[in-house]
Amino acid sequence: MAFHLSDDPVESARAAFAGSAGVAPAGIAFAPGRVNLVGEHTDYNDGFVLPMAIEEGIAAAFGPNDEAVLRVHACDIGETREVPIAALQGDRVHASGWFRYVAGMAWTMNASGMPVVGTTMTLAANLPSGAGLSSSAALELAAGRALAGAAGLDWDPRRMSRIAQRAEQEFAGVACGIMDQMAVACARAGGALLLDCRSLATADVLLPADVRVVIVNSGVRRSLATSAYNERRAACERAVAAVRTFAPEVRALRDVDERALEQARGAIDDEAYRRASHVIAENRRPARFAAALEHGDPAEAGRVMLESHASLRDLYEVSCPELDLLVALSMEQKGCYGARLTGAGFGGCAIALVDEKGVGSFARDVASAYAARTHIDPQVIVSRPSAGTRLLDM
Ligand code: GLA
């Protein structure tokens, strides 16, 4: 399947809409991708995460139609799919590939009391898919924003992130947490979001002007990532069940510390024990990272990232040789404070926290060293923390 990312997704989506519908779109929605600075595999344990939205994302030009269909053209793939609005009610709609995220979002909005109307939409992206940058959450929320815009519905980012999470769980089969959808829906320009995944309370964490987050795509995709992800979640639940036998007030690993885990050690299998050990320590890292930045200590923030990576590699076992290599190569560069895999793992991207002055040489040198070792030319993205899902001025 031909797949081209747009240089300017907003213009691509706008032009494609005008070209096919013969009129200008009623509006254009944009949903960003995200990286997570630290706090990985903690969200579905009711824990803490620290994601930031990036500048790259998905644009959706939209307008209502009077044919009572949802018709969506994906410019980057050159494919148009449609479904009658009537089929988006009652039994779960059947859709496949990229369209299941859009139809799934529409179905879930209907099921949540947000009735969608006949809508024509053109999508264009400058966000790679399958790279661990939450292209699926971006697609759900870009489509959701467009559907809400076409139907004249109110937009509440927190509520929409819940709806998008449900769409992802039910239509993509990933038992995901709330991090990606919250980051994509609610992020603020200039900083990351320290998010409590139990209460959904957020605090803005500013990124100092002299450090940059550099994203390097390993180019590796794991085929069994969905089942491996769901297995990780199940292992965490086994650990919680064991702790609950003597501490019934515990609801999630968020409520468990090392002492409680040791107390339950005899009732926990080795795999669940390793997974829980990761989650318990990882849960403290977002606040440590945020405090380090606040105290002007990026070196400490970098150490927190390295600890997180080691734990994801050794205890949670979601890294891979290519991501470990990217982290090692990053740490050989001058001005790099820390690096780690970001997102679910099993391939995808690594991020590095880099002194702004050294970003150019960092990107060049890591990319060429990685290519020399793996024969994969990695995509490097240097992105500023950007705002969450929004309607653009027309
Ligand atoms: C994926 C999921 C998130 C989160 C991360 C791991 O991105 O969608 O909910 O669990 O993995 O931190």
Side-chain angles (χ1 to χ4, degrees):
M1 192 186 291
F3 188 82
H4 302 287
L5 292 178
S6 312
D7 290 333
D8 186 342
V10 174
E11 271 323 303
S12 302
R14 186 201 306 272
F17 188 98
S20 60
V23 290
I28 301 183
F30 186 84
R34 69 94 189 88
V35 290
N36 185 20
L37 298 178
V38 77
E40 215 66 84
H41 290 279
T42 47
D43 62 349
Y44 51 82
N45 291 297
D46 274 6
F48 295 91
V49 293
L50 188 59
M52 69 171 221
I54 60 177
E55 287 157 300
E56 291 71 17
I58 300 179
F62 65 89
N65 64 47
D66 51 18
E67 298 160 68
V69 293
L70 169 58
R71 178 177 302 124
V72 187
H73 177 73
C75 300
D76 309 320
I77 317 176
E79 217 177 78
T80 303
R81 306 274 284 272
E82 65 176 63
V83 60
I85 294 297
L88 294 167
Q89 278 147 15
D91 288 349
R92 240 170 41 188
V93 62
H94 288 290
S96 61
W98 62 271
F99 191 56
R100 76 198 137 132
Y101 297 100
V102 180
M105 190 66 192
W107 185 91
T108 312
M109 284 171 70
N110 269 337
S112 312
M114 294 187 74
V116 303
V117 299
T119 305
T120 303
M121 207 187 288
T122 53
L123 299 168
N126 61 352
L127 179 71
S129 64
L133 299 177
S134 284
S135 57
S136 57
L139 182 51
E140 288 146 11
L141 284 150
R145 188 69 196 88
L147 287 162
L153 301 168
D154 287 344
W155 183 260
D156 169 355
R158 272 189 167 64
R159 175 171 185 215
M160 294 316 295
S161 70
R162 283 274 185 226
I163 290 176
Q165 179 194 26
R166 181 174 167 204
E168 176 96 23
Q169 291 178 338
E170 296 195 15
F171 289 84
V174 184
C176 66
I178 192 69
M179 168 173 75
D180 301 347
Q181 288 78 15
M182 271 294 288
V184 169
C186 303
R188 301 264 286 268
L193 218 53
L194 181 57
L195 167 66
D196 177 338
C197 297
R198 174 169 279 167
S199 68
L200 295 197
T202 58
D204 293 327
V205 176
L206 287 186
L207 217 62
D210 55 354
V211 299
R212 286 294 174 81
V213 175
V214 182
I215 305 162
V216 189
N217 186 349
S218 71
V220 178
R221 287 179 188 220
R222 288 286 126 117
S223 51
L224 294 174
T226 300
S227 54
Y229 181 94
N230 293 345
E231 273 164 38
R232 297 300 182 285
R233 187 165 181 159
C236 293
E237 283 161 11
R238 291 204 299 281
V240 170
V243 175
R244 277 174 63 87
T245 57
F246 66 87
E249 70 283 4
V250 161
R251 286 159 55 196
L253 280 179
R254 185 288 188 31
D255 309 314
V256 178
D257 61 10
E258 282 84 356
R259 258 191 41 209
L261 187 68
E262 287 316 316
Q263 237 177 309
R265 179 71 186 94
I268 302 180
D269 61 278
D270 288 346
E271 184 196 329
Y273 178 78
R274 284 197 306 279
R275 308 298 186 239
S277 303
H278 160 76
V279 172
I280 291 168
E282 183 76 1
N283 230 348
R284 301 189 191 108
R285 294 189 178 114
R288 284 176 55 202
F289 186 103
L293 287 191
E294 200 180 317
H295 299 139
D297 190 356
E300 167 64 7
R303 284 191 289 275
V304 174
M305 293 172 81
L306 289 170
E307 277 177 29
S308 168
H309 184 79
S311 177
L312 289 160
R313 181 191 61 211
D314 301 336
L315 296 174
Y316 222 66
E317 298 177 277
V318 293
S319 190
C320 62
E322 293 84 356
L323 286 170
D324 296 341
L325 176 63
L326 279 176
V327 169
L329 293 173
S330 298
M331 294 314 295
E332 287 170 11
Q333 312 302 316
K334 233 177 97 202
C336 177
Y337 298 112
R340 57 183 291 277
L341 71 82
T342 190
F346 316 107
C349 291
I351 52 169
L353 195 67
V354 181
D355 186 323
E356 192 239 351
K357 292 189 289 294
V359 163
S361 57
F362 176 91
R364 194 185 54 235
D365 295 349
V366 169
S368 66
Y370 184 73
R373 296 273 288 274
T374 60
H375 305 292
I376 300 172
D377 205 7
Q379 184 190 12
V380 181
I381 300 173
V382 185
S383 204
R384 289 174 197 278
S386 77
T389 303
R390 57 210 181 256
L391 279 185
L392 303 176
D393 293 336
M394 294 290 288

